[in-house]
Amino acid sequence: MAFTYAQYEQSAACIWEKLNGFTPRVALILGSGLGSLGDRVEDAVAVPYGDVPRFRESTAPGHRGRLVFGTLAGQRVAVMQGRVHHYEGRSYEEVVYPLRVLRLLGCDTLVVTNAAGCANPDWNAGDLMLISDQIKLFSESPLRGENLPEFGPRFPDCSHLYSPRLREIARAAAREEGIALREGVYFYCYGPQFETPAEVRAARLLGGDAVGMSTAPEVIAAVHCGMEVLGFSLLSNMAAGLQAHPLTEREVLEAGEAAQERFARLVLGCLERLA
Ligand code: HPA
């Protein structure tokens, strides 16, 4: 199924009616167990995904399924508390739909977060990683099908998906907040099954530092429609084969809880420093 530009505009108009003239500038997507930052938004207007045409409900654990508009660390934000994943049975076009609507509402910057497995054996579970680049080789593009030129070009450049300027801001924020920050490549995997140890070794050989089931489609769509992107992974666990015990979703959510405060300080520090 292909969405038309008019459908995106209709969804944006539906949200716009609830915002009393507020225009968001920074879109935030909060991943597994990291959603509570959305509760700190001031003068918040919450819009459940179910109230917006063509927004899909998130069925993933730890994903609240609503937009929160308001002010966070001095920035006008639109927070996605939870996201939809391809593994939930949604097309990539559906996965990136809300993001494109936020673009129409005025967002020119995306801060995207996720929980991911750590594929780098020199790092540790619980580390925070600034995403420098991504690998999404084995699955179709969210831009597949007819191009909507109102959003961007048919063949967008992906040399700098994750903005060098924003990464510099993130490094400075981490330094000044005293937060240790890794920097590396996010390797996208379909899910919902966690990877096999052989897949993790392959991801590592190909240049991945983290493995995860989200983010990469949204970032492609965001850059396509002209947004500047900053991305963070919470390395919630060592990836398969790098830790002795089997992986569980509970472990991922608990790691999110444990990192919540540190992670919030990092993201808020970045928002404060955005020009
Ligand atoms: N693999 C994929 N996605 C994940 C993982 C993982 O190990 N941990 C959290 N999200």
Side-chain angles (χ1 to χ4, degrees):
M1 161 170 188
F3 297 120
T4 63
Y5 191 71
Q7 288 179 312
Y8 290 98
E9 285 184 316
Q10 187 207 23
S11 297
C14 163
I15 296 173
W16 178 246
E17 276 175 16
K18 304 175 198 287
L19 296 186
N20 297 317
F22 174 86
T23 46
R25 186 185 152 217
V26 182
L28 282 104
I29 303 179
L30 301 179
S32 302
L34 302 169
S36 75
L37 199 52
D39 299 333
R40 301 202 194 178
V41 173
E42 293 155 36
D43 305 319
V45 175
V47 181
Y49 293 164
D51 289 0
V52 187
R54 288 171 295 281
F55 272 42
R56 308 304 185 204
E57 297 284 359
S58 176
T59 63
H63 288 252
R64 293 260 287 274
R66 61 177 201 166
L67 286 162
V68 183
F69 295 88
T71 308
L72 193 60
Q75 298 290 341
R76 286 175 284 119
V77 299
V79 180
M80 287 179 63
Q81 275 184 315
R83 58 152 71 83
V84 171
H85 304 78
H86 185 67
Y87 68 70
E88 294 172 77
R90 299 307 185 181
S91 69
Y92 285 117
E93 205 180 3
E94 289 174 301
V95 168
V96 305
Y97 189 90
L99 181 82
R100 284 178 151 180
V101 171
L102 293 181
R103 176 64 172 140
L104 292 184
L105 286 169
C107 292
D108 62 9
T109 304
L110 170 66
V111 180
V112 60
T113 71
N114 58 60
C118 180
N120 185 326
D122 297 330
W123 298 352
N124 301 302
D127 287 356
L128 293 177
M129 185 184 92
L130 174 62
I131 307 178
S132 60
D133 203 348
Q134 69 183 33
I135 300 175
K136 182 178 178 300
L137 284 176
F138 306 118
S139 52
E140 72 190 36
S141 167
L143 308 180
R144 178 171 179 266
E146 187 188 346
N147 186 48
L148 293 176
E150 296 91 339
F151 283 121
R154 169 78 293 186
F155 301 107
D157 177 64
C158 292
S159 309
H160 299 289
L161 283 183
Y162 295 87
S163 158
R165 184 183 81 88
L166 296 184
R167 276 156 58 203
E168 190 49 50
I169 287 174
R171 288 184 210 108
R175 215 168 29 242
E176 286 161 36
E177 298 287 337
I179 297 169
L181 188 59
R182 307 289 192 184
E183 188 161 350
V185 173
Y186 182 85
F187 192 101
Y188 173 80
C189 301
Y190 278 114
Q193 74 285 356
F194 289 116
E195 301 70 35
T196 65
E199 286 165 346
V200 172
R201 284 196 301 276
R204 182 79 193 130
L205 268 175
L206 292 176
D209 294 291
V211 287
M213 306 174 197
S214 67
T215 301
E218 292 106 309
V219 171
I220 291 169
V223 168
H224 176 246
C225 65
M227 297 174 84
E228 207 178 357
V229 177
L230 178 62
F232 296 105
S233 292
L234 164 64
L235 305 178
S236 54
N237 51 275
M238 294 309 286
L242 297 177
Q243 68 178 26
H245 59 275
L247 285 169
T248 62
E249 97 191 19
R250 190 193 159 120
E251 175 179 359
V252 173
L253 293 178
E254 283 176 357
E257 286 297 316
Q260 195 86 245
E261 210 33 59
R262 187 165 39 112
F263 178 77
R265 273 200 294 130
L266 177 62
V267 173
L268 294 173
C270 291
L271 289 177
E272 277 164 16
R273 287 167 178 80
L274 288 183

